[in-house]
Amino acid sequence: MSEQRVGADLSVAEAARAAGLSHARVGALVRSGRVPSRRIGRQHVITDPEALLAMPRRAGRPMSPRMAWALLLLADDRRPEWVSPGEVYRLRRHLDKLAADPEPEVALQALVRNRAARRPYRAQQPGALLEDDSVVASGLSDARSGMSAGVDVEVYVHEDDVRAVVRRHLLVDAAGGRANVWLHSSELVPAPSLRLQVAADLAEHGGPRERARAREIVREVVGNRR
């Protein structure tokens, strides 16, 4: 397969290199429909590289949304009301494992990937989202990320408010092109965002800078558990 970029698309080989995954793994994701793609002749090209980069680098069963949020809250010393003492014990064990993991941001991304639905959009004025009371900054847009996001914006919104926010800010789906807004929708939207929430968001971008900062944040949060 050609390894050249096709418009905004990536070949399977190019996408595999960018995501740090094997050619076989990316091919399997394409065939399963988990990564958006289209055919050009006899070849597949990836139409949404961000979806591929957001894939966890480790296999394993992710937590349910309620347990993922419980873990994120507990890491910030906030006791989730909906978990039992036994579940709290298991969540603390997960935090202990993160403290000992050489790539804790990868393990965290795999654990809590069900915390929210992540959608890429394009906006003419992405910065206006940060002035919207319906959203909470996280990931690239959270000051703790240390990222100079420029025109890129990342926010959380309650799942019931997604349509209104999309309409209000004229957001256009960017699954097949260059996104400058990442919108996470969830039933729970803490304000401000939780520290490991920010780390998981950064890890999902897949870039070396984002993953390095995500690792730093995780270690800052759980490092004293070693």
Side-chain angles (χ1 to χ4, degrees):
M1 173 179 291
S2 169
E3 297 185 2
Q4 298 301 312
R5 186 181 298 271
V6 184
D9 303 335
L10 297 179
S11 71
V12 171
E14 186 179 23
R17 285 200 305 273
L21 298 171
S22 70
H23 188 288
R25 171 65 172 156
V26 175
L29 290 169
V30 167
R31 289 190 296 274
S32 69
R34 294 181 62 194
V35 174
S37 67
R38 64 188 177 97
R39 291 185 69 90
I40 298 181
R42 299 174 62 185
Q43 303 174 356
H44 279 95
V45 294
I46 310 299
T47 59
D48 185 5
E50 279 291 331
L52 180 63
L53 291 173
M55 290 284 176
R57 281 3 182 224
R58 285 188 196 169
R61 184 177 180 182
M63 291 178 165
S64 66
R66 65 179 287 274
M67 292 303 290
W69 282 112
L71 181 75
L72 299 174
L73 286 162
L74 195 64
D76 271 10
D77 297 321
R78 294 170 60 178
R79 171 66 185 268
E81 298 177 355
W82 60 87
V83 293
S84 67
E87 288 173 325
V88 169
Y89 172 78
R90 290 193 292 274
L91 290 170
R92 293 192 187 281
R93 290 292 303 275
H94 280 297
L95 294 176
D96 292 340
K97 290 179 181 178
L98 287 177
D101 197 300
E103 294 183 317
E105 78 287 357
V106 179
L108 175 68
Q109 182 189 2
L111 274 175
V112 303
R113 65 179 181 265
N114 286 339
R115 70 193 179 282
R118 181 180 188 265
R119 299 180 179 89
Y121 288 99
R122 185 78 185 167
Q124 290 297 318
Q125 296 181 311
L129 275 161
L130 299 176
E131 306 299 323
D132 192 320
D133 291 339
S134 298
V135 309
V136 176
S138 190
L140 298 174
S141 295
D142 189 284
R144 293 165 294 184
S145 73
M147 297 285 137
S148 178
V151 297
D152 292 336
V153 168
E154 187 162 15
V155 296
Y156 276 70
V157 61
H158 192 278
E159 58 191 18
D160 292 341
D161 296 330
V162 172
R163 289 185 180 180
V165 169
V166 169
R167 287 197 303 268
R168 190 155 57 241
H169 295 278
L170 304 177
L171 302 184
V172 178
D173 183 86
R178 171 71 171 87
N180 60 4
V181 172
W182 286 269
L183 191 69
H184 300 258
S185 60
S186 173
E187 186 177 355
L188 178 64
V189 182
S193 294
L194 306 164
R195 290 177 294 171
L196 290 191
Q197 176 187 350
V198 173
D201 295 340
L202 292 175
E204 284 182 339
H205 284 282
R209 289 182 63 244
E210 291 88 351
R211 286 191 173 269
R213 180 54 186 149
R215 184 177 304 179
E216 291 175 355
I217 294 173
V218 177
R219 288 177 172 166
E220 289 167 4
V221 174
V222 302
N224 61 354
R225 305 182 72 87
R226 288 180 180 272

